[in-house]
Amino acid sequence: MIGLITGQVQYLMAPTACIMTTSGVGYDIELPLPSFCQLQVEQQASIWTHFHVREDAQLLYGFIDRKERDVFRQLIKINGVGAKMALAMLSAMSAAELKMHVEQDSEVALTRIPGIGKKTAQRLLIELKDKLKNIEVDNSNLEFAIQPVAVSHEGSIIAEVEGALISLGYKEKEAQQAIKAAKSNGDVFADTQGLLKATLQQLSGF
């Protein structure tokens, strides 16, 4: 129904959602972490969307990359995998990484995603093989040895840092922008302390 929205990002919300306006209408969109981190307030963006209808809600999920949305749609077809879990999976790893782990039968990599246990990981590996094989994803940035532990913890690290900044008195929007600025040079932070220190330096002007 709603497949693509091009407009201006008006607001970024915790943990990974935005309000985008186009033609006088504001859309509330939930995104996986990689897509969320590419957005900037008051900047133009195009987001590929999936319109999800439940008995109690109508929700929009968005993705900067159309292939990420294709993978998301395959994930939610699996019994027991709802939209929230699919979003968590694509926050923990890219579509290319997920496809690679499925092709390599990497059960361990999937169990490092929050909310996925051993039995669920085994079932996902079986069901995703056919569902993902025909989806072409950009694997040009994949390294020979991927470190799934660091990737899977990135979302929780960002959430912890944002919570810490808010508890220190910073506003939610201010905290999110500082976190994005701290990560803008491509550094990978292995723990909450490292990202919090970098973010506080951004806020203090150093």
Side-chain angles (χ1 to χ4, degrees), residues 102-126:
V102 170
E103 291 173 344
Q104 295 180 352
D105 287 318
S106 182
E107 178 186 317
V108 173
L110 295 188
T111 57
R112 287 175 176 145
I113 298 173
I116 295 182
K118 183 175 181 179
K119 290 185 177 179
T120 301
Q122 291 172 342
R123 182 164 54 83
L124 285 170
L125 289 174
I126 294 172

Short mmCIF file of all heavy atoms in Angstrom, two decimals, residues 102-126:
data_model
loop_
_atom_site.label_atom_id
_atom_site.label_comp_id
_atom_site.label_asym_id
_atom_site.label_seq_id
_atom_site.Cartn_x
_atom_site.Cartn_y
_atom_site.Cartn_z
N VAL A 102 23.52 -17.52 6.97
CA VAL A 102 22.58 -18.58 6.61
C VAL A 102 23.25 -19.57 5.65
O VAL A 102 23.13 -20.79 5.80
CB VAL A 102 21.30 -17.99 5.98
CG1 VAL A 102 20.44 -19.11 5.37
CG2 VAL A 102 20.50 -17.23 7.03
N GLU A 103 23.95 -19.04 4.66
CA GLU A 103 24.64 -19.90 3.69
C GLU A 103 25.72 -20.76 4.36
O GLU A 103 26.00 -21.87 3.94
CB GLU A 103 25.26 -19.05 2.59
CG GLU A 103 24.22 -18.41 1.67
CD GLU A 103 24.83 -17.44 0.68
OE1 GLU A 103 26.01 -17.03 0.89
OE2 GLU A 103 24.15 -17.06 -0.29
N GLN A 104 26.31 -20.23 5.43
CA GLN A 104 27.38 -20.95 6.13
C GLN A 104 26.85 -21.77 7.31
O GLN A 104 27.65 -22.34 8.06
CB GLN A 104 28.43 -19.95 6.62
CG GLN A 104 29.17 -19.23 5.50
CD GLN A 104 30.20 -18.24 6.02
OE1 GLN A 104 30.28 -17.97 7.21
NE2 GLN A 104 31.01 -17.71 5.12
N ASP A 105 25.51 -21.81 7.47
CA ASP A 105 24.90 -22.54 8.59
C ASP A 105 25.49 -22.10 9.93
O ASP A 105 25.75 -22.92 10.82
CB ASP A 105 25.08 -24.05 8.42
CG ASP A 105 24.18 -24.61 7.32
OD1 ASP A 105 23.01 -24.20 7.26
OD2 ASP A 105 24.66 -25.44 6.53
N SER A 106 25.67 -20.81 10.09
CA SER A 106 26.29 -20.28 11.30
C SER A 106 25.23 -20.07 12.39
O SER A 106 24.71 -18.96 12.57
CB SER A 106 27.02 -18.97 11.00
OG SER A 106 27.64 -18.48 12.16
N GLU A 107 24.93 -21.14 13.10
CA GLU A 107 23.95 -21.08 14.19
C GLU A 107 24.41 -20.12 15.28
O GLU A 107 23.60 -19.38 15.85
CB GLU A 107 23.77 -22.48 14.75
CG GLU A 107 22.82 -22.57 15.93
CD GLU A 107 22.79 -23.96 16.52
OE1 GLU A 107 22.76 -24.95 15.75
OE2 GLU A 107 22.82 -24.07 17.76
N VAL A 108 25.70 -20.13 15.58
CA VAL A 108 26.24 -19.29 16.65
C VAL A 108 25.99 -17.81 16.37
O VAL A 108 25.62 -17.04 17.26
CB VAL A 108 27.76 -19.54 16.82
CG1 VAL A 108 28.35 -18.55 17.82
CG2 VAL A 108 28.00 -20.96 17.29
N ALA A 109 26.17 -17.39 15.11
CA ALA A 109 25.97 -15.98 14.76
C ALA A 109 24.53 -15.55 15.01
O ALA A 109 24.28 -14.46 15.51
CB ALA A 109 26.33 -15.76 13.29
N LEU A 110 23.58 -16.42 14.69
CA LEU A 110 22.17 -16.07 14.88
C LEU A 110 21.79 -16.03 16.35
O LEU A 110 20.97 -15.21 16.76
CB LEU A 110 21.27 -17.05 14.12
CG LEU A 110 21.39 -17.05 12.59
CD1 LEU A 110 20.31 -17.93 11.98
CD2 LEU A 110 21.30 -15.65 12.02
N THR A 111 22.36 -16.91 17.16
CA THR A 111 22.02 -16.92 18.58
C THR A 111 22.56 -15.70 19.31
O THR A 111 22.15 -15.42 20.44
CB THR A 111 22.54 -18.19 19.28
OG1 THR A 111 23.96 -18.29 19.10
CG2 THR A 111 21.87 -19.43 18.72
N ARG A 112 23.47 -14.97 18.68
CA ARG A 112 23.98 -13.74 19.29
C ARG A 112 23.05 -12.56 19.08
O ARG A 112 23.27 -11.48 19.62
CB ARG A 112 25.38 -13.43 18.74
CG ARG A 112 26.44 -14.37 19.30
CD ARG A 112 27.79 -14.15 18.66
NE ARG A 112 28.80 -15.00 19.29
CZ ARG A 112 29.82 -15.56 18.66
NH1 ARG A 112 29.95 -15.37 17.36
NH2 ARG A 112 30.68 -16.31 19.29
N ILE A 113 22.02 -12.76 18.29
CA ILE A 113 21.01 -11.73 18.11
C ILE A 113 20.05 -11.79 19.30
O ILE A 113 19.55 -12.87 19.63
CB ILE A 113 20.21 -11.95 16.80
CG1 ILE A 113 21.16 -11.87 15.60
CG2 ILE A 113 19.11 -10.90 16.66
CD1 ILE A 113 20.51 -12.25 14.29
N PRO A 114 19.81 -10.68 19.98
CA PRO A 114 18.91 -10.69 21.15
C PRO A 114 17.54 -11.29 20.81
O PRO A 114 16.92 -10.92 19.82
CB PRO A 114 18.78 -9.20 21.50
CG PRO A 114 20.05 -8.59 20.99
CD PRO A 114 20.38 -9.35 19.73
N GLY A 115 17.09 -12.23 21.64
CA GLY A 115 15.78 -12.84 21.46
C GLY A 115 15.78 -14.12 20.66
O GLY A 115 14.72 -14.76 20.51
N ILE A 116 16.92 -14.52 20.12
CA ILE A 116 16.99 -15.74 19.31
C ILE A 116 17.81 -16.80 20.05
O ILE A 116 19.00 -16.61 20.32
CB ILE A 116 17.59 -15.48 17.93
CG1 ILE A 116 16.68 -14.55 17.13
CG2 ILE A 116 17.81 -16.78 17.16
CD1 ILE A 116 17.15 -14.26 15.73
N GLY A 117 17.14 -17.91 20.39
CA GLY A 117 17.81 -19.02 21.06
C GLY A 117 18.27 -20.06 20.06
O GLY A 117 18.12 -19.90 18.84
N LYS A 118 18.81 -21.14 20.57
CA LYS A 118 19.40 -22.17 19.72
C LYS A 118 18.37 -22.81 18.79
O LYS A 118 18.60 -22.96 17.59
CB LYS A 118 20.06 -23.24 20.59
CG LYS A 118 20.77 -24.32 19.78
CD LYS A 118 21.51 -25.29 20.69
CE LYS A 118 22.24 -26.35 19.88
NZ LYS A 118 23.00 -27.29 20.74
N LYS A 119 17.21 -23.17 19.33
CA LYS A 119 16.19 -23.84 18.52
C LYS A 119 15.65 -22.91 17.43
O LYS A 119 15.45 -23.34 16.29
CB LYS A 119 15.05 -24.34 19.40
CG LYS A 119 15.44 -25.51 20.30
CD LYS A 119 14.25 -26.04 21.06
CE LYS A 119 14.63 -27.26 21.90
NZ LYS A 119 13.47 -27.78 22.67
N THR A 120 15.43 -21.65 17.79
CA THR A 120 14.95 -20.69 16.80
C THR A 120 16.00 -20.49 15.71
O THR A 120 15.67 -20.41 14.52
CB THR A 120 14.63 -19.34 17.46
OG1 THR A 120 13.64 -19.54 18.48
CG2 THR A 120 14.10 -18.34 16.44
N ALA A 121 17.26 -20.41 16.09
CA ALA A 121 18.35 -20.22 15.12
C ALA A 121 18.40 -21.40 14.15
O ALA A 121 18.57 -21.22 12.94
CB ALA A 121 19.67 -20.07 15.85
N GLN A 122 18.25 -22.61 14.67
CA GLN A 122 18.28 -23.80 13.81
C GLN A 122 17.13 -23.77 12.81
O GLN A 122 17.32 -24.10 11.63
CB GLN A 122 18.21 -25.05 14.68
CG GLN A 122 19.44 -25.29 15.53
CD GLN A 122 19.28 -26.43 16.51
OE1 GLN A 122 18.17 -26.86 16.82
NE2 GLN A 122 20.40 -26.94 17.03
N ARG A 123 15.96 -23.37 13.28
CA ARG A 123 14.80 -23.31 12.38
C ARG A 123 14.97 -22.21 11.33
O ARG A 123 14.61 -22.39 10.16
CB ARG A 123 13.53 -23.07 13.20
CG ARG A 123 12.25 -23.03 12.37
CD ARG A 123 11.03 -23.20 13.25
NE ARG A 123 11.00 -22.24 14.34
CZ ARG A 123 10.55 -21.00 14.22
NH1 ARG A 123 10.11 -20.56 13.04
NH2 ARG A 123 10.53 -20.19 15.26
N LEU A 124 15.54 -21.08 11.75
CA LEU A 124 15.76 -19.98 10.82
C LEU A 124 16.73 -20.38 9.71
O LEU A 124 16.53 -20.04 8.54
CB LEU A 124 16.31 -18.76 11.56
CG LEU A 124 15.31 -17.97 12.40
CD1 LEU A 124 16.03 -16.95 13.26
CD2 LEU A 124 14.27 -17.29 11.52
N LEU A 125 17.78 -21.10 10.07
CA LEU A 125 18.76 -21.53 9.07
C LEU A 125 18.11 -22.40 8.02
O LEU A 125 18.42 -22.30 6.82
CB LEU A 125 19.90 -22.29 9.75
CG LEU A 125 20.87 -21.44 10.59
CD1 LEU A 125 21.87 -22.34 11.32
CD2 LEU A 125 21.59 -20.42 9.74
N ILE A 126 17.20 -23.27 8.44
CA ILE A 126 16.53 -24.17 7.50
C ILE A 126 15.58 -23.40 6.59
O ILE A 126 15.60 -23.53 5.36
CB ILE A 126 15.76 -25.27 8.26
CG1 ILE A 126 16.75 -26.18 9.00
CG2 ILE A 126 14.91 -26.09 7.29
CD1 ILE A 126 16.08 -27.17 9.93
#
